[in-house]
Amino acid sequence: MTPELFEALESGGADEVALDAIPYAGFLGMALRRDGEGIGLCLHFDPMQIGAPGRLHGGVIGAVLEISAIAELMWQARREGAAPAHLPKPVTLTVDYLRAAGLADLHARATVLRRGRRVASVRALAWQESADRPVAEGLLHFLLAPGRSRDRPGTSRTG
Amino acid sequence: MSGSLTLDLARQMMRISPQPAALGLEAVAVGPGRATLRLPWKPELIGWPETGVPAGGAVFTLLDTALGAAVFAALDRMLPLATLDLRIDYLKPATTGRDLYASAHCHRLTHHVAFVRGSAWHEHEEDAVAHASATFVIERAADGKSAP
């Protein structure tokens, strides 16, 4: 989740940017996009994402939920001028599979439930046709890397 | 619990299912209610570019597949499964450049639900990088017809 990715979305130069900077996200085909004032994740459908016939693989859905949660944490930290040097580290992830996910694009958005100094709790939702009918919901806990002080923006770093 | 899943059949499943095939997942061992898979290292698995550590999602997919395979290894015939929930605890970062294994055990099987535990590791199950547990719904048809 490099500063360049967020800058591309913020400047309005792009509605969507590919997440190739994270090899695994690029491998699956994830992209970050603007979603109103916030951001969301989009996984454009590709047959390699299939698990059982006609369905996306449950692991792919879990991966999307996790990356959307990380992106939301980094986006929020950036908005506050305290972008951390490193990505947050997932500790636990629980996914509830609510509906079958078919062969179509998958969208995800995360909400930070609580962010402390070292720990954050994030809820992520994945859907296809409508966010009102999510295919899966995830609850994640992260260990946060120390942030930089707001008083000293310093130079940007990848993270 | 007797199982209908042979190692050959498990290997075929890994090749036929597109995501496991794309990841290169391999079935290593199966037993009654048990399955072990290997995820060979490749750079596409990286989630942390600075360190090369594999993405949590890759470990998640490895475990999800292994847990499902353990259910097949517990059922007396192949039936469609739907994951209800899956929880993973990341005990420590996986190591870059190293193959990952996942071993899973379906420890309880009811008519409708399977309960499974598993772990992901490099060398030994006792030194796991992640633990997981999941429940699956077994889509049994009534009157022999396919479930919707």
Side-chain angles (χ1 to χ4, degrees):
Chain A
M1 234 68 57
T2 62
E4 292 76 28
L5 281 179
F6 289 141
E7 277 160 21
L9 287 179
E10 280 172 339
S11 68
D15 288 327
E16 184 175 300
V17 289
L19 267 174
D20 298 336
I22 296 177
Y24 184 68
F27 167 74
L28 287 180
M30 295 189 208
L32 215 55
R33 44 162 64 156
R34 285 304 299 262
D35 186 350
E37 283 303 307
I39 54 162
L41 208 79
C42 180
L43 181 73
H44 291 295
F45 172 70
D46 186 285
M48 63 84 84
Q49 297 156 3
I50 294 170
R55 297 190 184 176
L56 297 181
H57 194 282
V60 170
I61 297 171
V64 165
L65 290 170
E66 184 171 294
I67 302 262
S68 78
I70 291 171
E72 182 66 26
L73 281 169
M74 297 296 283
W75 174 260
Q76 279 204 5
R78 179 184 165 81
R79 300 290 257 187
E80 294 167 9
H86 303 289
L87 296 173
K89 294 182 179 169
V91 181
T92 69
L93 162 59
T94 304
V95 178
D96 282 326
Y97 293 94
L98 304 172
R99 296 177 174 82
L103 308 186
D105 291 356
L106 186 73
H107 304 280
R109 178 145 187 181
T111 305
V112 177
L113 300 174
R114 185 183 181 272
R115 193 169 103 235
R117 274 188 311 113
R118 290 311 308 271
V119 174
S121 291
V122 184
R123 175 177 173 261
L125 216 60
W127 70 93
Q128 293 183 302
E129 288 162 9
S130 161
D132 295 332
R133 293 174 56 78
V135 300
E137 181 175 302
L139 182 63
L140 300 96
H141 294 102
F142 290 92
L143 274 181
L144 302 174
R148 292 198 307 277
S149 163
R150 284 187 218 201
D151 300 328
R152 293 199 301 268
T155 54
S156 70
R157 290 182 56 184
T158 58
Chain B
M1 289 178 280
S2 66
S4 60
L5 186 69
T6 62
L7 186 56
D8 271 349
L9 187 53
R11 286 182 172 141
Q12 280 180 49
M13 286 170 63
M14 296 304 122
R15 286 193 294 267
I16 290 171
S17 181
Q19 174 65 196
L23 283 172
L25 289 180
E26 300 166 6
V28 171
V30 298
R34 292 178 185 270
T36 302
L37 304 182
R38 173 168 65 231
L39 173 62
W41 169 258
K42 51 206 252 175
E44 289 89 336
L45 300 177
I46 292 172
W48 279 264
E50 292 174 352
T51 57
V53 169
V59 182
F60 188 95
T61 298
L62 166 64
L63 278 163
D64 180 46
T65 310
L67 296 171
V71 181
F72 289 129
L75 293 169
D76 57 6
R77 64 188 188 286
M78 303 300 279
L79 290 167
L81 300 178
T83 317
L84 276 180
D85 70 352
L86 197 159
R87 178 196 167 106
I88 177 169
D89 292 327
Y90 295 107
L91 306 178
K92 59 182 178 181
T95 305
T96 188
R98 297 184 66 187
D99 294 352
L100 264 170
Y101 293 82
S103 48
H105 178 210
C106 177
H107 57 92
R108 179 113 177 91
L109 189 64
T110 70
H111 188 70
H112 294 291
V113 183
F115 300 84
V116 196
R117 281 191 290 258
S119 53
W121 39 275
H122 289 297
E123 292 271 334
H124 308 288
E125 210 174 323
E126 295 75 31
D127 192 25
V129 304
H131 283 168
S133 62
T135 56
F136 293 81
V137 165
I138 301 157
E139 297 178 0
R140 293 186 189 272
D143 301 319
K145 296 194 180 70
S146 295

